[in-house]
Amino acid sequence: MRSQPPFLPVSLTEAKALGIEQFDIILVTGDAYVDHPAFGTALIGRVLWDAGFSVGVIAQPDVKTERDFTALGKPRLFFGISSGNVDSMVNNFTPNLKRRSSDVYSPGGIPRRPDRAIIVYANRVHAAYSGTPIVLGGIEASLRRFAHYDYWQDRVRQSVLADAPATLLAYGMAERQMVEIARRLDAGEPARALRDIPGTSYTIEVAEWRAARPEGIVEIPGFSEVSSDKTAYARAFAVHYREQDPVRGRAVAQPHPKTVVIQNPPALPLSAAELDQIYELPFSRRAHPSYREPVLALEPVQFSVVSHRGCFGSCSFCALTHHQGRIIQSRSIESIVREVTRMAAMPEFKGTVQDVGGPTANMYGMGCDRWAAAGACPDKSCSPACQTLRTSHQQLTDLLKKVSDVPGVKKVFVGSGIRYDLVLADDPDTRYLEDLCKWHVSGHLKVAPEHISPRVTRAMNKPDGSVFDRFIDRFETLQESKPKRQYLVPYFMSGHPGCTVNDMVELAEYIRDSGLYTEQVQDFTPTPMSISTCMYYTGINPFTLEPVHVPKGREKKIQRALMQYREPQNRGLVIEGLRMAGRSDLIGSRKKCLVAGEKCGDRYRPGPAARWKRTGRLDPGHDPGSTSKKVPKGE
């Protein structure tokens, strides 16, 4: 077994210093190379190195030339290609489809990642080394492995395996898959023969599929059908969504015009011992020393710790079910303590552990006895209402206490989100919320109710607003004896499928009456392979095939403005929304009003929003985002 280097090599000079003449595997990524377990390339690279393979990294290559792609030579086994920690389109564009001017995953924030990075990178690698296997991985590949709606082009795109010249696609966290691929290629198996590895997708020729379809594979509507028929798209989504379980899931096939994409069942969850081994690898927790400017994405996570994987919340707008799955995989307390002990010895460490958590911080240690033998239930989501779900926070409370006792540690924060319905379901004697507020949050506790309208929370698969109210009551009770009180910072979302302007007015009134601080708000963005994105594109609930209201265009802007009705620049849109909802009673100077009335007088006239409401059209050439217009003298 190879000893781990301080950093994975990014140049032939570094390779030769380690005695490497040819890399076994080369990883290409759209992120800067940061040697931290929160960065996928570092995680996969360290795991492969631990398995005995030499790994080189090509970070943020210049796609205008092949020079960067050939800088490390040809790998002995394969290229692994990822867009980085974030889907490249999500990373490069705002929810309003404006190109971002900076990238926190790049040194100095300078954008270096191309759009649809895995396709661009794969084409460059294939052009340079046409006979070398290419394995796609990371979030962009994982969530685009089937035909999918692409918000940025407003159309259905093919699976990335149909667009990129790749051999395999490893979806999910993929450590087990990548090691298996490396070992079997190292043993001499041809790359095209690797068709049975759980957690991977591959392609076969259309003629082969028609001639001899493998048994036990579920076929979903093909690309040609789902790209032209929204009901077919919804049906296809529902079928492959239900197969995303590592225990009971079956292989899924989707025909494309020139190939057939086949997804094997998900990989089995890692055991606690396997997770411990991965996260205790010798990550330096620093950006590669060749960078002269900081990589800003490192700062908020440098001294954070991953305690577990998976999330059984199954929120409609989240794609974790397709990526990490619903089964919780928790590390041992002892391993986490060892990791924090090493972290505390770093000269940069100032005593604060920034986060101990996972996709949902307080799911650590939780589980269900059914998961190991039968997987997660196919007909319902896990929730505190289920008697077989273990919701005790005792193991998490013990973990936070032991991490806090590590020498050199002064503060242990929980920066990941928590599920407040799980807090309410816990035994009060555990005192999780009390300890959390006392020791592990600063002045603000972040929670994500997302909405309070029952219709919208059902569409989101979130707890009802009454559950959030009960949590607020419990939180406020804890503040009574504090010399310095804390505050809840809720995350709310506008524009989600199923949400109407009336629902947003209800949320605005709730914000007004509760006095909650609403800096953290989000306008729904349709990202690949979530239930909400399927509803956004099709206007259909994929599981019931019932129609769903989808706010788009101007209505989406109005919904966002209603959530931030206090902002002066939103006044015109808020007034328009209140009138659309028949709630003009909330316009004016009375105590319960959300916004002041429109200004009157001969120097003002109704803005374009008001004219649009009355006539259905705007003035020719007028910016539809403008909501008022001052009349020039003499007009």
Side-chain angles (χ1 to χ4, degrees):
M1 183 176 295
R2 295 177 180 272
S3 60
Q4 296 265 0
F7 287 89
L8 301 177
V10 300
S11 68
L12 288 178
T13 301
E14 293 174 68
K16 289 178 180 178
L18 295 169
I20 298 170
E21 294 297 325
Q22 181 185 24
F23 288 107
D24 295 324
I25 299 152
I26 294 175
L27 302 180
V28 182
T29 175
D31 292 340
Y33 169 40
V34 178
D35 192 54
H36 188 286
F39 289 72
T41 297
L43 195 69
I44 292 295
R46 290 285 185 187
V47 167
L48 286 167
W49 200 286
D50 188 54
F53 300 99
S54 60
V55 181
V57 175
I58 299 175
Q60 299 186 307
D62 181 357
V63 299
K64 296 177 182 178
T65 171
E66 288 184 359
R67 182 183 57 203
D68 289 350
F69 294 92
T70 59
L72 299 185
K74 177 182 177 180
R76 187 172 64 88
L77 299 178
F78 67 89
F79 278 97
I81 295 179
S82 164
S83 70
N85 271 17
V86 184
D87 181 282
S88 59
M89 302 305 288
V90 175
N91 189 82
N92 291 353
F93 291 88
T94 70
N96 293 326
L97 302 179
K98 294 181 179 179
R99 187 169 289 277
R100 298 184 194 273
S101 59
S102 62
D103 182 351
V104 296
Y105 290 96
S106 183
I110 300 171
R112 294 183 173 89
R113 187 192 326 260
D115 296 346
R116 310 188 194 287
I118 53 173
I119 297 174
V120 176
Y121 292 161
N123 281 323
R124 275 297 186 187
V125 168
H126 181 69
Y129 302 104
S130 60
T132 303
I134 294 174
V135 180
L136 306 181
I139 194 75
E140 183 167 323
S142 189
L143 300 185
R144 294 178 183 263
R145 60 187 184 266
F146 290 111
H148 55 280
Y149 172 70
D150 186 89
Y151 173 60
W152 299 269
Q153 290 186 333
D154 192 26
R155 69 177 179 92
V156 176
R157 288 184 60 95
Q158 296 189 121
S159 162
V160 292
L161 273 175
D163 283 339
T167 313
L168 290 169
L169 184 154
Y171 67 90
M173 298 300 285
E175 294 97 346
R176 183 175 282 155
Q177 298 95 296
M178 295 294 278
V179 171
E180 179 72 4
I181 292 167
R183 285 175 175 165
R184 290 175 62 171
L185 290 176
D186 189 43
E189 288 191 51
R192 287 291 176 185
L194 305 183
R195 294 181 172 183
D196 60 344
I197 300 175
T200 64
S201 295
Y202 61 95
T203 59
I204 64 173
E205 298 293 332
V206 174
E208 180 184 354
W209 172 253
R210 290 173 177 168
R213 301 186 183 190
E215 294 184 2
I217 296 182
V218 179
E219 182 177 352
I220 61 175
F223 171 77
S224 298
E225 190 176 356
V226 301
S227 61
S228 60
D229 184 338
K230 292 184 177 180
T231 301
Y233 185 100
R235 287 192 291 107
F237 180 89
V239 172
H240 70 67
Y241 183 89
R242 292 190 177 107
E243 301 300 334
Q244 304 308 312
D245 185 272
V247 180
R248 55 176 172 76
R250 297 170 292 176
V252 179
Q254 185 176 52
H256 283 62
K258 296 182 179 180
T259 191
V260 177
V261 175
I262 299 179
Q263 175 203 273
N264 287 320
L268 290 172
L270 297 179
S271 66
E274 289 172 316
L275 277 178
D276 289 350
Q277 180 178 350
I278 288 172
Y279 285 100
E280 288 192 68
L281 292 173
F283 297 96
S284 67
R285 294 182 176 268
R286 300 179 179 97
H288 191 273
S290 62
Y291 298 130
R292 295 293 175 261
E293 294 180 279
V295 179
L296 297 180
L298 173 62
E299 183 180 345
V301 300
Q302 184 174 17
F303 299 112
S304 65
V305 178
V306 172
S307 59
H308 63 286
R309 289 181 179 175
C311 179
F312 53 74
S314 301
C315 299
S316 299
F317 48 81
C318 178
L320 267 170
T321 297
H322 274 81
H323 193 62
Q324 290 194 14
R326 291 165 59 188
I327 295 175
I328 304 301
Q329 306 147 65
S330 299
R331 295 173 60 190
S332 70
I333 292 178
E334 294 76 16
S335 171
I336 295 172
V337 167
R338 288 193 296 269
E339 182 181 355
V340 173
T341 300
R342 289 192 302 274
M343 197 166 68
M346 293 176 61
E348 303 98 318
F349 185 72
K350 304 302 181 185
T352 299
V353 177
Q354 294 163 300
D355 185 25
V356 177
T360 301
N362 60 326
M363 287 186 184
Y364 175 79
M366 295 186 180
C368 173
D369 293 335
R370 291 175 47 88
W371 285 349
C377 294
D379 57 343
K380 59 183 178 180
S381 299
C382 303
S383 77
C386 180
Q387 296 300 310
T388 63
L389 182 68
R390 299 188 301 275
T391 58
S392 172
H393 289 68
Q394 187 60 59
Q395 190 175 349
L396 176 54
T397 302
D398 293 343
L399 167 64
L400 294 173
K401 175 68 167 61
K402 290 187 178 181
V403 170
S404 300
D405 290 340
V406 171
V409 171
K410 301 173 184 177
K411 278 284 187 181
V412 177
F413 289 126
V414 174
S416 304
I418 66 168
R419 284 284 294 226
Y420 49 86
D421 55 335
L422 292 174
V423 173
L424 296 175
D426 191 20
D427 185 341
D429 291 340
T430 304
R431 297 183 58 81
Y432 169 72
L433 185 59
E434 288 84 342
D435 284 356
L436 184 71
C437 292
K438 185 175 182 179
W439 304 110
H440 307 300
V441 297
S442 54
H444 300 89
L445 175 61
K446 297 176 182 178
V447 288
E450 306 295 357
H451 215 285
I452 49 85
S453 165
R455 172 170 47 201
V456 182
T457 54
R458 281 195 299 271
M460 293 177 166
N461 198 30
K462 293 288 288 186
D464 187 84
S466 62
V467 180
F468 184 53
D469 286 336
R470 297 207 320 269
F471 178 78
I472 290 176
D473 290 342
R474 185 164 170 186
F475 176 83
E476 289 300 326
T477 299
L478 292 175
Q479 304 305 312
E480 293 175 357
S481 58
K482 283 184 175 292
K484 186 176 181 181
R485 69 160 291 135
Q486 296 165 315
Y487 297 90
L488 287 177
V489 178
Y491 285 76
F492 288 117
M493 183 183 293
S494 66
H496 188 275
C499 183
T500 65
V501 170
N502 295 73
D503 293 317
M504 290 309 299
V505 173
E506 182 181 351
L507 177 57
E509 289 191 282
Y510 182 86
I511 293 170
R512 175 201 65 196
D513 296 339
S514 64
L516 290 170
Y517 182 59
T518 56
E519 180 186 28
Q520 303 292 342
V521 298
Q522 180 182 354
D523 192 23
F524 170 70
T525 304
T527 52
M529 211 172 278
S530 72
I531 298 171
S532 301
T533 297
C534 180
M535 291 192 289
Y536 177 89
Y537 170 61
T538 65
I540 299 171
N541 181 316
F543 306 114
T544 66
L545 298 184
E546 296 174 346
V548 176
H549 173 73
V550 179
K552 293 184 178 181
R554 189 166 186 82
E555 183 191 344
K556 209 164 186 285
K557 293 181 179 179
I558 289 170
Q559 288 203 18
R560 174 63 183 259
L562 281 164
M563 189 161 53
Q564 294 181 300
Y565 67 88
R566 298 185 182 105
E567 300 295 330
Q569 66 269 24
N570 290 334
R571 180 173 163 274
L573 286 170
V574 171
I575 290 173
E576 184 176 341
L578 292 173
R579 288 177 172 164
M580 287 174 64
R583 295 301 307 275
S584 295
D585 58 299
L586 296 176
I587 303 170
S589 57
R590 296 177 300 280
K591 184 177 180 181
K592 289 289 187 178
C593 287
L594 297 178
V595 65
E598 292 178 309
K599 293 183 179 180
C600 300
D602 61 357
R603 293 181 61 78
Y604 288 85
R605 70 179 183 187
R611 293 195 295 282
W612 174 80
K613 172 72 174 173
R614 185 178 68 249
T615 67
R617 64 180 184 274
L618 295 170
D619 291 344
H622 195 94
D623 177 7
S626 175
T627 56
S628 64
K629 181 180 179 182
K630 198 167 185 177
V631 180
K633 289 182 179 180
E635 184 169 333

